[in-house]
Amino acid sequence: MNWHALAENVLNGHQLTDQECLDFLQADSKDTLSQLDAAYLIRHHYYGNDVKLNMLINTKSGLCPENCRYCSQSSESDAPIEKYRMMTKDEIVKGAKRAAELGAGTFCIVASGRGPSRHELATVKAAAKEIKETLPLKLCGCLGILADNQAEELKEAGIDRYNHNINTSSEFHENIVSTHTFDDRVGTIEKVKQAGMSPCSGVIIGMGESFEHIVSMMRSLSSLNTDSIPINFLHAIDGTAFADKEPLTPMWCLRIVALARFMLPTKEIRIAGGRELNLRSLQPMALYAANSIFLGDYLTTSGQEAEKDLKMIEDLGFVVEKDAFARSAEHFEVSY
């Protein structure tokens, strides 16, 4: 397969067939660097060498009734994590100030649980309003499954984007969680779009999915037309159902990110949770396909120091995006 020719076809509007996607995933290991180089042609076409910086705050930890098998905050997890109820408005605003100081363009307000209570929603709305008045940040909410009218309330308060990951394919979903359905997750993404917020949804790789499941989850994200796509790599945590799963190889992770760029050419693709554990010394190379990263820690796992991430970007010859609102994936349209 001529991966560079395939990349040029994608730039001309070609959508990869299922067989091309499977060929991509099943190619010889020696092809991985060529695939990544070809993915860079697409990435550079839409985003140049800009890297979007995101930073999150875990405003409520643990205490979740859902049984997601990968998650340390799950109702069935015995992981020794810190558990606390919703932070105050001032604590959330303080986190936003720290994100701005580090140069992040997007600040993500995350809370565990099936969906936000009235108190939790009110706290996030109050924090969002104050942040918008004082800091030039794009705000992303991640509060679980939204009830009717909650998306509109968040939009009015100043939340620009809402994250709700599909996590895996519809066919594999029942192997991951049973307390909610794949359609529950899709329903929240649709509510976000209807409210006028930018939809963010991504996946977790490394939970036992097949090649076909990987293609299916990327197809779902394409159909949902999500603007921002975090690609997480499973960080197996002691006390969770997936504690015994082995880390992925860095080269496999690179291939997954490259395929995501081919299948979702115009979208913000973010290397997210588990990148430090799974990509290891090859983290910088993922940015030849991805154009976005999280700075700092994740929900209950530690990330690379923000200063090291910034140095990594500099060493690549890439630059931090100066304005999170200046250019975003939702401005691009490709007709297939």
Side-chain angles (χ1 to χ4, degrees), residues 202-205 218 229-233 256-257 260 269-273:
V203 298
I204 304 172
I205 301 295
M218 298 298 177
I229 298 166
I231 297 180
N232 302 278
F233 305 101
I256 295 295
V257 180
I269 296 176
R270 186 180 323 130
I271 45 173

Side-chain angles (χ1 to χ4, degrees), residues 181-332:
T181 67
F182 186 84
D183 287 343
D184 288 332
R185 289 187 171 269
V186 169
T188 285
I189 297 168
E190 294 296 349
K191 286 178 179 177
V192 166
K193 291 160 64 176
Q194 290 167 12
M197 284 188 288
S198 170
C200 172
S201 187
V203 298
I204 304 172
I205 301 295
M207 299 191 293
E209 66 280 343
S210 67
F211 294 151
E212 289 80 7
H213 292 144
I214 292 172
V215 175
S216 177
M217 63 180 83
M218 298 298 177
R219 288 268 188 252
S220 292
L221 293 172
S222 179
S223 296
L224 287 166
N225 198 25
T226 52
D227 297 326
S228 180
I229 298 166
I231 297 180
N232 302 278
F233 305 101
L234 180 68
H235 186 149
I237 299 172
D238 289 341
T240 67
F242 286 165
D244 61 346
K245 290 196 178 295
E246 294 295 325
L248 303 168
T249 66
M251 294 299 277
W252 176 242
C253 295
L254 291 176
R255 179 165 289 186
I256 295 295
V257 180
L259 176 66
R261 178 55 68 196
F262 269 81
M263 293 185 70
L264 302 152
T266 67
K267 303 303 185 180
E268 175 187 341
I269 296 176
R270 186 180 323 130
I271 45 173
R275 66 176 166 93
E276 297 86 354
L277 177 69
N278 292 276
L279 279 161
R280 301 191 281 285
S281 62
L282 299 191
Q283 283 186 73
M285 296 180 68
L287 287 175
Y288 284 104
N291 65 300
S292 178
I293 62 170
F294 272 118
L295 289 177
D297 296 336
Y298 302 100
L299 297 178
T300 63
T301 58
S302 298
Q304 183 167 274
E305 295 175 9
E307 290 75 12
K308 289 185 178 180
D309 279 333
L310 295 173
K311 183 61 177 174
M312 176 177 74
I313 293 167
E314 179 185 347
D315 288 347
L316 281 167
F318 288 6
V319 294
V320 172
E321 183 183 63
K322 296 188 183 337
D323 183 355
F325 295 94
R327 179 183 58 185
S328 54
E330 56 263 36
H331 293 160
F332 297 110

